């Protein structure tokens, strides 16, 4: 029964109470059976009466709680059956009903228990100390004592304690509030919000708000308000109470009236006790929770699973959800004839000493390319500018353009900054031995499995997808088009995200997916909040109903498939059980079942319904594709080659850029064509022979590899065409010949980028 409605005593958990009651009732029932078998009917009846009274007291409390909360309940049927069993002197039937009652309490307590949405992650991160400057120096004070107009010092790596205005320029990690992973440069005079992290040099600021009115405290309040508005879980049984209770009472009363025998009325009440609803449904839900956990999805209780199955609108944050949430190198542009791999090796060797998020991206890129890093010496950090040190006898500098470039900047640098502005990339410039050497462009890339996952979600019943982000509109629109969302909302702060979720929730059941503190209010307000928490526990994981423990979002599609199947089986098991109970009610009404036989028959119906509910544990439809060991090994080998050859794509464009009319670098073009023929084309052929059959076996369906074969052929055709064009050109190419070469290179670059994106989405994401 709905044991959660009765409040346990302080210090005694609901689960512990329900287990104790179930154990006591079962033991007493068996003790009574032992007395009966020994021929002591009086003692047996006494023990069974005690169990019945215990069940009667329990159901009385649950009914009283339901009435206080104005919720319908089928508990009244069990209460009447227990009272009737005592009145017609059928104590064994009453004891069996009581055991069923406590069994339902135990199972439902486990099925509907959801993790508490605590604010521990938010509270632990909230700034508590501020450093205030006055004529006597810098003093630490509680953040609650900061007044508007106070001058504060925020050190490197410290959290901004209150909203304020900068007196000095520096950069900030604002991901906690905006979700944007890239550090943001803030000049003097700019406003800065509490909760962001100083990612640059120490800076002074003037407080413009108190702690109670600052941005981070507002996020905390939004989460609390959203949690308070979340509706409680309602049992499947309660949804049928308004119709089922009157029907049962009518059949019971009619049986008594027509026969004049109250025992028949009690027998009807006994077999009408809706235990299939109370047992089968929670077991199916629990089984669904267990199955989801095997796929790296933690669903916090049966209510969340039911709401996940009911979801029709899916809302996404961008950063860390549809994108990786951390910057990666998208392109290396070098000055003159500098070697990109060598520049990356030297830069990564220097950046090994830095904990900066951009340094980590450069080091990771070097390791992905298999470059051997050297130790750096004499490393110095220039606050607000970059890093300086010596690697293999070379002086290496990394940082801002103003620290690296000469004035006016060269053409390659202007081209790089233009691309960065268009693509929303960050730039890290490099100099070697006092000479400007190149620039690294860094972006937050799209997750390769995101488009496939959104298509799978539509197959799972999602009717509308919405992207909500604090990032720039142009970047958000681009991501939304690639993954196929129905609507995009950009430049939104946590309060605006919360308002959008509430508007969508008013129209249809929602699922909100996010990653980060800024998403916590929206996650708490949605019908179901889903957090991607593979990189550690965050406030979003605390506020969410569903947590993806792996760094993949396609697990959400699996969770929705499992939720749909669990709910379907729960309803089928409950419906079948209730149909059998209805047949039993008819038999009891005409006198073919006594209360005791009816109670035993009801137990049999319960077992059948539970067995049906347990079929949730059997394999069912999921989105995840499992590769055979041999296929997995082959795909991983090809993916390693794919990663190694990725820089060759950007080399195609850089060579095209270098084909100027005045001094075309034909030797560099020759080297590129040699690499394309000796490295790229054999790899494409290996993919055609080995990877495409793996994809076909894994994905099935009509011709899943046709597009791959076509692009493989097109890449080879364009490489061959470029080679013929190059061989036909003399030592001094004409302008129209250079135009033809550039056009061919740019076209090849575009096709290669599209092909790689397709492979990562539809092939290598299966890994």
């Amino acid at each position: 029964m709905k044991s959660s409605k009765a409040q346990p005593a302080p210090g005694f958990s609901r689960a512990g109470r329900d287990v104790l009651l179930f154990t006591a009732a079962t033991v007493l029932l068996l003790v009574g059976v032992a007395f009966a078998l020994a021929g002591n009917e009086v003692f047996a009846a006494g023990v069974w009466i005690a169990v019945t009274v215990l069940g009667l007291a329990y159901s009385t409390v649950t009914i009283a709680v339901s009435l206080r909360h104005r919720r319908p309940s089928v508990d009244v049927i069990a209460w009447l059956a227990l009272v009737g069993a005592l009145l017609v002197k059928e104590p064994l039937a009453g004891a069996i009903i009581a055991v069923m009652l406590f069994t339902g309490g135990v199972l439902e307590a486990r099925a509907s228990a959801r993790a508490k949405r605590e604010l521990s992650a938010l509270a632990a991160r909230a700034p508590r100390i501020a450093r205030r400057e006055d004529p006597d120096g810098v003093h630490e004070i509680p953040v609650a004592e900061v007044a508007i107009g106070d001058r504060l010092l925020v050190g490197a790596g410290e959290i901004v304690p209150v909203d304020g205005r900068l007196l000095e320029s520096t950069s900030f990690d604002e991901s906690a509030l905006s979700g944007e992973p890239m550090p943001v440069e803030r000049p003097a005079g700019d406003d800065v919000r509490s909760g962001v992290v100083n990612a640059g040099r120490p800076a002074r600021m003037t407080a413009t708000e108190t702690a109670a009115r600052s941005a981070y405290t507002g996020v905390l309040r939004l989460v609390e308000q959203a949690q308070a508005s979340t509706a409680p879980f309602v049992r499947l049984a309660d949804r049928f109470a308004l119709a089922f209770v009157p029907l049962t009472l009518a059949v019971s009363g009619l049986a008594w009236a027509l026969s004049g025998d109250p025992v028949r009325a009690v027998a009807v009440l006994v077999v009408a006790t809706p235990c299939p609803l109370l047992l089968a449904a929670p077991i199916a839900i629990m089984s669904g929770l267990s199955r989801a956990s095997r796929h790296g999805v933690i669903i916090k209780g049966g209510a969340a699973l039911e709401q996940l199955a009911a979801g029709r609108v899916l809302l996404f944050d961008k950063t860390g959800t549809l994108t990786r949430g951390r910057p990666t190198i998208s392109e290396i542009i070098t000055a003159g004839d500098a070697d990109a791999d060598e520049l990356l090796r030297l830069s990564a060797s220097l950046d090994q000493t830095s904990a900066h998020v951009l340094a980590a991206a450069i080091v990771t890129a070097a390791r992905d390319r298999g470059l051997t890093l050297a130790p750096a010496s004499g490393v110095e950090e220039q606050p607000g500018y970059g890093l300086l040190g010596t690697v293999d006898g070379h002086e290496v500098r990394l940082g801002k353009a103003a620290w690296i470039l000469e004035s006016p900047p060269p053409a390659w640098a202007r081209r790089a900054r233009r691309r960065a502005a268009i693509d929303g990339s960050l730039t890290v410039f490099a100099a070697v031995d006092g000479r400007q050497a190149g620039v690294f462009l860094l972006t937050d890339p799209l997750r390769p499995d995101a488009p496939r996952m959104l298509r799978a979600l539509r197959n799972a019943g999602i009717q509308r997808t919405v992207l909500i982000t604090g990032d720039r509109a142009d970047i958000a629109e681009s991501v939304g088009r690639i993954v196929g969302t129905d609507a995009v909302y950009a430049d939104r702060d946590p309060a605006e995200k919360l308002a959008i979720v509430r508007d969508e929730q008013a129209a249809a059941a929602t699922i909100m997916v996010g990653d980060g503190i800024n998403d916590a209010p929206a996650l708490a307000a949605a019908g179901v909040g889903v957090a991607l928490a593979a990189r550690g526990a965050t406030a979003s994981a605390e506020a969410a109903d569903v947590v993806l423990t792996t760094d993949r979002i396609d697990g959400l599609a699996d969770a929705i498939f499992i939720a749909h199947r669990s709910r379907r089986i729960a309803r089928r098991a409950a419906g079948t059980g209730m149909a059998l109970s209805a047949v039993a009610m008819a038999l009891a009404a005409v006198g073919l079942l006594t209360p005791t036989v009816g109670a035993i028959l009801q137990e049999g119906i319960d077992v059948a319904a539970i067995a049906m509910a347990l079929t949730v544990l059997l394999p069912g439809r999921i989105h995840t594709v499992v590769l055979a060991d041999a296929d997995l090994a082959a795909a991983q080998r090809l993916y390693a080659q794919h990663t190694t050859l990725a820089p060759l794509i950007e080399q195609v464009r850089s060579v095209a850029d270098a084909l100027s009319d005045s001094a075309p670098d034909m030797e560099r073009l020759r080297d590129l064509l040699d690499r394309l023929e000796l490295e790229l084309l054999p790899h494409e052929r290996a993919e055609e022979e080995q990877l495409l059959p793996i994809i076909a076996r894994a994905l099935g369906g009509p011709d899943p590899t046709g597009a791959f074969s076509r692009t493989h052929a097109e890449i080879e055709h364009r490489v061959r065409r470029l080679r013929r064009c190059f061989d036909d050109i003399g030592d001094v190419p004409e302008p129209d010949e250079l135009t033809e070469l550039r056009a061919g290179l740019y076209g090849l670059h575009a096709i290669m980028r599209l092909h790689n994106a397709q492979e990562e989405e539809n092939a290598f994401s299966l890994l």
Side-chain angles (χ1 to χ4, degrees):
M1 286 297 176
K2 184 70 171 176
S3 56
S4 59
K5 295 176 182 177
Q7 300 299 319
F12 192 49
S13 71
R14 170 196 167 190
R17 177 202 62 196
D18 289 339
V19 169
L20 180 62
L21 289 172
F22 167 74
T23 303
T26 303
V27 169
L28 288 175
L29 174 63
L30 295 176
V31 168
V33 171
F35 277 123
L37 293 175
N40 196 332
E41 298 289 343
V42 175
F43 271 81
V47 172
W48 290 333
I49 289 172
V51 177
T52 305
V53 170
L54 184 63
L56 188 60
Y58 180 85
S59 60
T60 300
V61 172
T62 61
I63 292 171
V65 174
S66 295
L67 291 174
R68 187 170 72 243
H69 292 283
R70 298 180 180 179
R71 289 200 296 261
S73 175
V74 291
D75 296 351
V76 65
I77 298 175
W79 188 90
L80 291 172
L82 290 166
V83 171
L86 291 175
L87 292 177
V88 300
K89 298 180 180 180
E90 291 279 356
L92 177 56
I96 294 173
I97 295 170
V99 170
M100 288 192 295
L101 193 67
F102 296 133
T103 302
V106 170
L107 291 174
E108 191 185 0
R110 295 181 179 180
S112 65
R114 63 165 48 186
K116 293 181 179 179
R117 294 173 171 181
E118 308 216 353
L119 302 179
S120 56
L122 286 168
R125 192 183 181 281
R128 292 178 173 80
I129 299 296
R131 292 198 284 169
R132 183 169 61 191
E133 271 191 337
D134 55 37
D136 297 328
V138 179
H139 305 280
E140 289 190 352
I141 61 171
V143 69
E145 296 181 11
V146 175
I148 296 175
D150 282 352
R151 183 168 171 150
L152 306 176
L153 176 65
V154 183
E158 293 182 356
I159 298 174
V160 175
V162 296
D163 294 357
R165 185 163 294 115
L166 288 172
L167 301 175
E168 299 168 346
S169 64
T170 188
S171 59
F172 292 93
D173 174 2
E174 300 186 354
S175 59
L177 294 180
S178 70
E180 174 54 46
M182 304 295 190
V184 178
E185 186 72 24
R186 295 289 182 188
D190 227 9
D191 291 333
V192 62
R193 294 180 291 175
S194 65
V196 304
V197 178
N198 183 1
R201 61 184 177 182
R204 291 170 174 80
M205 58 175 281
T206 300
T208 57
E209 288 288 0
T210 62
R213 294 173 56 87
S214 289
Y216 197 77
T217 305
V219 172
L220 287 168
R221 281 196 300 269
L222 287 170
V223 174
E224 291 171 339
Q225 293 167 3
Q227 289 174 340
S229 66
T230 302
F233 174 58
V234 180
R235 286 184 312 169
L236 185 62
D238 290 343
R239 300 171 193 168
F240 292 88
L242 291 177
F244 190 75
V245 171
L247 174 65
T248 301
L249 294 178
V251 173
S252 176
L254 187 62
W256 188 354
L258 293 178
S259 66
D261 184 2
V263 175
R264 290 192 184 185
V266 174
V268 170
L269 293 173
V270 168
V271 295
T273 303
C275 286
L277 288 175
L278 304 178
L279 300 178
I283 286 174
I285 297 299
M286 279 199 304
S287 300
L289 302 181
S290 173
R291 187 151 189 82
S293 68
R294 299 177 191 173
H295 294 275
V297 182
I298 297 175
I299 303 177
K300 299 180 181 178
L305 186 138
E306 283 197 294
Q307 291 167 340
L308 192 63
R312 292 295 176 266
V313 177
L314 192 67
L315 303 105
F316 282 97
D317 174 53
K318 178 184 75 68
T319 302
T321 304
L322 294 181
T323 64
R324 293 192 182 277
R326 49 182 178 266
T328 60
I329 291 180
S330 60
E331 186 176 359
I332 303 174
I333 299 176
T334 59
D337 58 354
D339 181 76
D341 280 354
E342 178 62 11
L343 178 62
L344 177 60
R345 186 187 73 83
L346 294 173
S347 302
S349 298
L350 176 62
D351 265 337
Q352 289 180 105
T353 62
S354 175
H356 198 281
V357 62
L358 299 185
I362 292 174
V363 173
T364 299
R367 288 174 175 162
D368 286 345
R369 296 192 187 189
L371 303 178
T372 302
L373 305 187
S377 60
V379 179
E380 299 178 14
E381 184 172 354
Q382 303 294 322
Y385 290 98
L387 207 60
L388 171 68
T390 301
V391 179
D392 287 344
H394 298 284
E395 182 191 79
V396 182
R397 278 191 296 165
L398 296 172
K400 294 183 176 178
W403 195 44
I404 303 294
L405 298 179
E406 300 170 354
S407 184
W412 64 267
R414 293 196 302 272
R415 186 169 63 249
R417 296 172 87 170
R418 182 170 63 251
R419 285 182 186 169
I422 293 172
D423 296 337
S425 306
L426 287 180
T427 56
V428 176
F429 285 84
V432 179
D433 294 330
R435 297 175 56 192
Q436 50 197 15
V439 59
F440 302 101
L441 272 59
L442 299 103
T443 58
D444 181 21
L446 187 73
R447 289 179 177 272
D449 56 329
R452 284 185 66 244
M453 193 274 296
L454 256 70
R455 292 194 294 270
L457 289 170
R458 292 191 187 278
N459 292 334
I462 297 299
Q463 299 169 353
R464 173 175 165 83
T465 56
V466 179
L467 173 60
I468 315 174
T469 179
D471 207 350
R472 287 168 29 188
D474 55 343
I475 296 176
E477 291 284 353
S478 176
V479 171
R481 283 194 299 272
I482 291 172
V483 300
T485 58
D486 296 309
V488 176
Y489 298 94
D491 295 314
R492 306 296 168 138
D493 61 24
E496 291 170 325
K497 286 185 178 183
L498 179 59
I500 292 169
V501 170
R502 284 175 170 163
D503 289 343
E504 294 286 350
Q505 179 70 20
T510 60
I511 302 171
M512 172 69 192
V513 187
D515 173 43
I517 292 172
N518 63 303
D519 302 317
L523 291 174
V528 181
V530 180
L532 187 67
R535 292 190 289 273
T538 65
S540 62
E542 297 290 339
D545 305 288
V546 179
V547 179
L548 307 182
T549 60
T550 58
D551 195 22
R552 296 176 60 89
I553 56 171
D554 53 1
L556 176 58
D558 292 337
I560 293 179
F561 280 128
I562 291 170
H564 277 292
R565 184 166 180 261
S566 300
R567 187 176 66 167
R568 183 172 63 251
I569 291 176
R571 290 178 172 177
R572 184 185 303 155
T576 301
M578 293 312 297
L580 293 174
S581 293
V583 173
M585 287 170 62
L587 295 176
V590 297
L592 297 179
L593 293 178
T594 65
T596 299
V597 174
I600 295 172
L601 178 60
Q602 183 63 41
E603 282 289 348
I605 294 172
D606 293 345
V607 170
I610 290 171
M612 187 178 296
L614 288 172
T615 60
V616 173
L617 295 173
L618 299 176
R621 180 188 180 192
I622 58 172
H623 167 67
T624 300
V625 176
V626 180
L627 298 180
D629 291 343
D631 287 350
L632 181 61
Q636 288 174 332
R637 184 175 61 255
L638 290 169
Y639 179 64
Q641 297 174 11
H642 170 92
T643 303
T644 303
L645 290 172
L648 192 58
I649 298 177
E650 297 311 319
Q651 188 179 342
V652 171
R653 184 162 73 171
S654 65
V655 168
D657 292 341
L659 288 179
S660 64
D661 293 336
S662 57
D665 192 342
M666 302 301 288
E667 190 61 33
R668 192 176 175 193
L669 175 57
R670 184 194 305 274
D671 292 341
L672 172 64
L673 290 174
D674 289 342
R675 286 195 65 189
L676 290 173
E677 290 177 334
L678 296 176
E679 299 176 30
L680 178 69
L681 294 187
H683 171 71
E684 299 296 328
R685 295 185 194 115
E687 286 186 336
E688 185 75 22
E689 295 171 3
Q690 301 172 39
L691 183 64
L692 298 198
I694 293 173
I695 298 173
R697 286 192 292 271
L699 299 182
D703 195 19
T705 62
F708 294 103
S709 291
R710 181 67 183 88
T711 50
H712 283 157
E714 184 66 21
I715 289 171
E716 182 158 1
H717 165 69
R718 287 182 174 265
V719 171
R720 299 300 186 201
R721 187 176 184 279
L722 280 167
R723 171 61 76 180
R724 290 195 300 271
C725 185
F726 177 82
D727 290 342
D728 289 342
I729 292 175
D731 295 335
V732 182
E734 298 293 331
D736 61 330
E737 293 173 328
L738 288 177
T739 300
E740 182 74 15
L741 286 173
R742 278 197 298 266
L745 289 168
Y746 287 134
L748 176 62
H749 172 262
I751 292 173
M752 290 172 67
R753 286 197 62 178
L754 176 61
H755 177 59
N756 273 21
Q758 289 175 325
E759 284 188 335
E760 289 173 1
E761 174 186 334
N762 293 301
F764 296 125
S765 67
L766 302 179
L767 302 180

